[in-house]
Amino acid sequence: MGIIQTTGLKKSYETRAHRKTTKVEAVAGVDLDVAEGEIFGFLGPNGAGKTTTLRMLSTLLPPDAGEATIAGADLRKEPAKVRAAIGYIAQGGGTQDDATAREELILQARMHGISKAEAQRRAVSALAAFDLTEYADRPCKTYSGGQRRRVDIALGIIHQPKVVFLDEPTSGLDPQSRAHMWDEVRRLRTEGMTIFLTTHYLEEADALCDRIAIIDGGVIVAEGTPDALKREISGDVVTVGVGEDFAEKAAEILTGQTFLTAVETRDGGRIRLAVEAGETAVPLVMRTLEEAGIATSTIEVHRPTLDDVFLTKTGRSLRES
């Protein structure tokens, strides 16, 4: 039995525009089974239902339908037990500008019923673990984005939860801070925590997660290890540069060719082609375009990525969603 299990989890909202009320199904029946000790990724574009699912699992939103258990506690019947077992780090963070990291950590620990002396000890330990000791007594408003995000995560685990929910943990961070955050997430897993993170970064899901679920329109469209999902897509991907003026014409000419399984235009005058075998498709692509009077500036062949998985499952690119 997984440490996180959901069956048929649903959530809808009502929106009102032009004097008309419309019901929007944000999460449309999500089934999940996350193993203890996993780094599990929820991958999808903005608005796909990732944060809504996370907020339901962390008891911040009541589900409209469905069941879930987290660390053995029933989400609906035992919300207090669920909250005691989890740490939740929201995308927007929770630090106060004028408070210091040490003050925030001690307060958070005390709010979990931890004694003052133990709260102070845990704060010292967390500051050292997240490389924040040097800044511990400065106001949080003086921290960099990466430092402040590390404080957020330290706050979320100060009570030593079994499960940690991370909503877009590296959103807005520079590449160096993002890499540092990945190291922190891996470290939490080595300390025995199960990590459930949402992300729209393909590289993050590929590099960090043991397994991922791809969600789109409130529905899970694929689930598995990153490698297994990529292996589901046979063949290669060819990207051809033809220039902005010729991209649409080139895509039209190539659509329907027997040596291609999918054609998609991209920004920058590029076309992405799904093919059975790159080495045989490339000369055919070049000859077809040449006969149509379209010159190719670049041509690349690569194995399928998670973006190709998303394209195959949804008909569009996650990078451009």
Side-chain angles (χ1 to χ4, degrees), residues 14 36 39 45 59 63 103 116 138 205 213 250 265 283 287 295 315 320:
E14 288 188 348
E36 187 170 359
I39 299 177
T59 75
E103 290 169 344
K116 184 176 180 180
R138 297 181 191 174
T265 57
R287 186 170 65 198
E320 296 172 8

Side-chain angles (χ1 to χ4, degrees), residues 85-104:
I86 68 170
Y88 174 72
I89 296 93
Q91 185 175 348
T95 54
Q96 300 296 315
D97 282 350
D98 294 323
T100 68
R102 191 187 307 276
E103 290 169 344
E104 292 272 31

Side-chain angles (χ1 to χ4, degrees), residues 147-258:
Q147 290 164 351
R148 200 154 184 170
R149 201 62 178 136
R150 297 206 299 276
V151 176
D152 289 334
I153 296 180
L155 288 169
I157 67 159
I158 195 70
H159 58 301
Q160 299 173 351
K162 295 179 180 178
V163 177
V164 179
F165 291 111
L166 286 167
D167 194 9
E168 301 282 358
T170 64
S171 181
L173 297 185
D174 60 77
Q176 184 177 0
S177 296
R178 182 172 296 162
H180 193 163
M181 189 60 61
W182 291 358
D183 290 339
E184 297 295 350
V185 171
R186 293 186 184 104
R187 182 176 62 81
L188 295 180
R189 194 257 293 277
T190 65
E191 293 181 1
M193 298 181 197
T194 301
I195 313 297
F196 187 113
L197 64 88
T198 71
T199 184
H200 61 272
Y201 293 126
L202 295 158
E203 297 84 357
E204 185 160 272
D206 209 348
L208 265 185
C209 299
D210 301 308
R211 286 192 307 128
I212 61 175
I214 297 175
I215 186 169
D216 185 48
V219 177
I220 292 177
V221 297
E223 186 176 346
T225 68
D227 285 344
L229 289 174
K230 288 181 282 187
R231 282 197 302 269
E232 287 183 11
I233 304 176
S234 60
D236 297 313
V237 177
V238 177
T239 304
V240 186
V242 294
E244 295 279 6
D245 295 337
F246 297 97
E248 292 296 334
K249 181 181 177 181
E252 184 179 342
I253 291 169
L254 290 169
T255 298
Q257 295 289 335
T258 57

